[in-house]
Amino acid sequence: MSISKMIDEKRRYRQYKARAKQLPENYRTATDALERYLMYSGAITKGDTLMSMLDDLADLFEQSAANGTPIRAVVGDEPVEFAETFLQNYSEGRWINKERERLTNAIDSVAGGEP
């Protein structure tokens, strides 16, 4: 990764955090909790994918706050299910995809043309 790309990603993350900080307290708390869950459970490895996900999260909560949409109307009764569904939209940057591909390739290489 180039230094300029790292600087750009850091700048984008700071912009995201500034946006989240401007949210009303309850929306900000929800965004912080979702961000933490997504970062730990999603294991996003690609910076661009991570920043796209966080930008979309900020967009969602900014619009919800502006419209007065209750947080439960956004995330539903099962916040973990919401987070997992949200995360599925960003599967390309997840480390597990690399491991799935590695497993498939390893089995394919040893199984050859077995039925």
Side-chain angles (χ1 to χ4, degrees):
M1 178 184 291
S2 70
I3 291 176
S4 63
K5 187 170 181 170
M6 287 181 359
I7 291 170
D8 183 53
E9 288 175 4
K10 190 172 186 175
R11 179 187 52 77
R12 285 181 68 193
Y13 184 74
R14 285 184 183 151
Q15 289 172 338
Y16 158 75
K17 291 305 273 185
R19 289 174 67 191
K21 189 176 182 180
Q22 296 299 313
L23 291 168
E25 185 177 353
N26 56 339
Y27 290 89
R28 184 174 58 244
T29 300
T31 302
D32 288 346
L34 282 163
E35 175 190 347
R36 179 179 171 87
Y37 181 85
L38 293 168
M39 297 284 261
Y40 281 96
S41 71
I44 300 288
T45 59
K46 293 173 84 177
D48 290 341
T49 304
L50 173 64
M51 289 314 309
S52 293
M53 180 181 69
L54 294 177
D55 286 339
D56 290 347
L57 184 66
D59 288 346
L60 175 64
F61 277 88
E62 284 172 343
Q63 292 171 3
S64 298
N67 294 335
T69 305
I71 293 170
R72 282 287 180 198
V74 177
V75 300
D77 293 331
E78 298 293 333
V80 172
E81 184 178 315
F82 169 84
E84 291 293 330
T85 301
F86 186 83
L87 186 59
Q88 287 176 0
N89 294 313
Y90 306 93
S91 63
E92 70 186 45
R94 295 180 72 184
W95 68 268
I96 194 65
N97 291 344
K98 290 180 186 178
E99 293 306 316
R100 287 175 179 151
E101 184 177 342
R102 184 176 288 154
L103 172 61
T104 300
N105 290 340
I107 299 302
D108 287 350
S109 70
V110 295
E114 291 180 359

